[in-house]
Amino acid sequence: MSFFSLAGPSSSFSHPLASYGWDEGWEAEFAPYAGQGFLPGRVVRVDRGQCDVVTSAGAVRADTEFVVPRDPMKVVCTGDWVAVDPEGGDPRYVRTLLPRRTAFVRSTSSKRSDGQVLATNIDHVVICVSLAGELDLGRIERFLALALSASSGEALLHKSALSWESGAQPMVVLTKADLVPDAVGLSYLVQDVETTAPGVTVLPVSALTGDGLDVLVASVSQGTSVLLGQSGAGKSTLANALLGEDVMDVQATRDMDGKGRHTTTTRNLLALPGGGVLIDTPGLRGVGLWDAESGVGQVFSEIEELAERCRFHDCAHGSEPGCAVLAAIDAGDLPERRLESYRKLMRENQWIVAKTDARVRAEIKRDWKRKGAQGRAAMEAKRGRWR
Ligand code: GDP
Ligand code: ZN
């Protein structure tokens, strides 16, 4: 099987780092360090306390030990903009980390400060969903929640509420569109996803025929993107189509040293020929659903809005009197499937946090006990509704 490749013309940029996402905002952030003679650069790979940085003076290798090493959230990460020493042999030193606009964080506990940063300064989260099998809307909701939890740098520090504006912009790409030969059928699938993800761009794409690739290239031509999705969704194929060549293979060949061994200098951040930047790290590839509760709330905003009108503040929308969510289902305004997905995702998210956090685990247990004591009669009534 051969795939379409789109190697667009390189745009003409004024600053040598523009193709890596350098803009006036970064220029302003960097001004004080420019005054000290440091070089700006973007981290394209991190390993063992060192990182590879692209600078206007070429690629350099740098030590990160000067950047607050005790705070895991401030560990230098792929996607970061940094200031490095202007000269000297490699490794040099990363002197400062510019404030992040967004970050993908894997929470290892409910305390944000214990998170692991996977990628930073991301503008677009491209959620890849294959059309090869049956479309799983619940899975799309799950990835959307995750995309929305890619929080703004500020939110990371202050635990503030996240919003569509502050975080990365999600987009759903339905891959392998060539496997749905019927155009009308395809448009129904797109509509289904659009209903599940209100306000989110949904784009069917085929790497095989090239359909939709031009729109995708244009969508990611500004800012930094990541591809998320299940294994087999077609992410690598799309990445190669966006890059216009089999970069991973090409790099592997180039990095072969004289003795025929691979030296690992593969970049996790690449400038796209059609404009824009792609981040692809092993950590992101294996992404599941982490601490994405705020994201879940945004994906199901209509349920959260309804819930504000429930009679009880802590209404579980099971059998409580005066429940606005159940009323909406009865009135046909809210599909029952949406509420089921919402519950499932909230439960799952809570479970994942609980697995790593004893305090949350204890809270959940208390909650279960309280509900068990007060809710047995309610459960009886509920049985008719939720099997
Ligand atoms: P990843 O695990 O998400 O990186 O998925 P891959 O890019 O490795 O693709 C998984 C499989 O789907 C591979 O066998 C690809 O050849 C196939 N595939 C990818 N894109 C397309 C497409 O547009 N059409 C078809 N028919 N197959 C595709
Ligand atoms: Zn309710």
Side-chain angles (χ1 to χ4, degrees), residues 1 3 128 175-179 205-209 229-238 285:
M1 197 185 287
F3 288 100
C128 302
T175 61
K176 315 188 193 182
D178 53 279
L179 297 176
V205 159
S206 168
L208 189 61
T209 65
Q230 273 208 309
S231 166
K235 298 181 296 295
S236 320
T237 309
L238 271 189
R285 239 176 273 150

Side-chain angles (χ1 to χ4, degrees), residues 112-136:
R112 282 283 182 182
S113 58
D114 288 334
Q116 177 197 0
V117 187
L118 294 176
T120 62
N121 300 316
I122 301 155
D123 303 290
H124 311 283
V125 177
V126 180
I127 300 164
C128 302
V129 182
S130 165
L131 288 170
E134 199 170 330
L135 208 51
D136 184 344

Side-chain angles (χ1 to χ4, degrees), residues 70-115:
R70 262 184 225 103
D71 182 351
M73 297 301 271
K74 293 209 176 132
V75 168
V76 171
C77 178
T78 300
D80 276 332
W81 283 99
V82 295
V84 295
D85 289 335
E87 53 213 11
D90 291 353
R92 311 176 186 197
Y93 286 102
V94 171
R95 296 292 175 172
T96 206
L97 177 59
L98 297 190
R100 293 163 176 162
R101 291 181 186 168
T102 63
F104 236 122
V105 181
R106 166 185 215 155
S107 286
T108 47
S109 95
S110 64
K111 271 201 260 109
R112 282 283 182 182
S113 58
D114 288 334

